Amino acid sequence: MNTKLNLRRRIKSPTPRFFRKIRKAGLIAGAVGTALLTAPIALPAALTTVAGYLVTAGVVASAVSTTAVERE
């Protein structure tokens, strides 16, 4: 079995079910954080900070879970 995959092949390979759920949760967290950051009203500083963390965590979770590959 060839264990070395480049990034393109890794992203195009099938993703395990668990990591598909993580990717979806990351996208949702990123969307919620983005919605809070772009809200047209003034929000407390703590909520703005949490929104920034949500966006960052969502993007990282989605990117990492996309590169997970099912074993054959």
Side-chain angles (χ1 to χ4, degrees), residues 27-57:
L27 290 173
I28 291 170
V32 169
T34 302
L36 289 173
L37 287 174
T38 60
I41 58 173
L43 297 172
L47 192 58
T48 304
T49 303
V50 169
Y53 289 139
L54 274 174
V55 171
T56 304

Side-chain angles (χ1 to χ4, degrees), residues 3-6 33-35 38 46 56 67:
T3 58
K4 293 188 178 188
L5 294 174
N6 61 13
T34 302
T38 60
T56 304
T67 59

